[in-house]
Amino acid sequence: MRMRIAVGLLASAALALTTAAATGTAAQAKERPCGRPVMADGTGSQGTPWTLKSQYDDDGTPPNQLVAGEEFEIATTAAGQRWSVSFTDNGTKFFRNDNDISTATGIREVHPNPVARGVSNHMAAHAVRLDAAGNVIEVIDGAVDLAPPPARCGR
């Protein structure tokens, strides 16, 4: 009887190790060819939390064009706040919305920008909250740096 229990425990342990090894391999196989995102977060001049995430991807237009995408979130506390939001890549503006109105959960902007191979990218987001008269209430500035995209990214 003790032998059966010991054999059963050994078989269970072997199965658990095999599953863990297979899961680890599957997770590595699922990693994106363009690398992991780079993230930054902080608070604006009046304490509003924000998050900026950027990463390379090869899903631009035309097909397989290399892009660096930016995802910027502002966790506003109320709907109806007016913000002006812009994105830059290495100092060149590629997105701007001067009338970005928050929902109850905040603001979320996601935009890709075509990039060249072999070049680092400094991705930045700038947001200004305005009152009804256009006066500045709060300012947010965030940035992340992307190393040159890996060779395995895209075709």
Side-chain angles (χ1 to χ4, degrees):
M1 183 69 151
R2 288 182 191 227
M3 183 60 109
R4 284 185 187 170
I5 293 172
V7 170
L9 287 174
L10 249 136
S12 295
L15 179 62
L17 283 172
T18 303
T19 302
T23 304
T25 304
Q28 289 172 354
K30 288 182 181 178
E31 183 165 326
R32 299 184 63 98
C34 296
R36 295 176 182 238
V38 178
M39 298 177 69
D41 58 14
T43 56
S45 60
Q46 297 297 312
T48 302
W50 58 267
T51 303
L52 175 64
K53 179 174 84 170
S54 185
Q55 73 183 66
Y56 293 113
D57 208 340
D58 59 358
D59 63 357
T61 304
N64 300 317
Q65 180 180 18
L66 182 63
V67 296
E70 276 191 79
E71 179 180 307
F72 183 54
E73 295 180 353
I74 304 171
T76 63
T77 56
Q81 294 179 356
R82 184 174 149 225
W83 290 79
S84 174
V85 177
S86 61
F87 291 173
T88 60
D89 180 1
N90 291 336
T92 301
K93 192 176 294 182
F94 68 91
F95 168 78
R96 182 178 183 136
N97 182 352
D98 288 329
N99 198 29
D100 211 338
I101 307 299
S102 67
T103 66
T105 58
I107 288 178
R108 182 173 187 265
E109 290 287 357
V110 180
H111 300 280
N113 185 49
V115 295
R117 295 195 176 281
V119 177
S120 305
N121 290 276
H122 180 76
M123 309 300 285
H126 174 74
V128 178
R129 181 175 167 210
L130 306 168
D131 66 13
N135 299 310
V136 174
I137 296 173
E138 184 169 15
V139 176
I140 294 174
D141 284 300
V144 295
D145 290 310
L146 292 171
R152 68 181 184 270
C153 181
R155 295 185 180 153

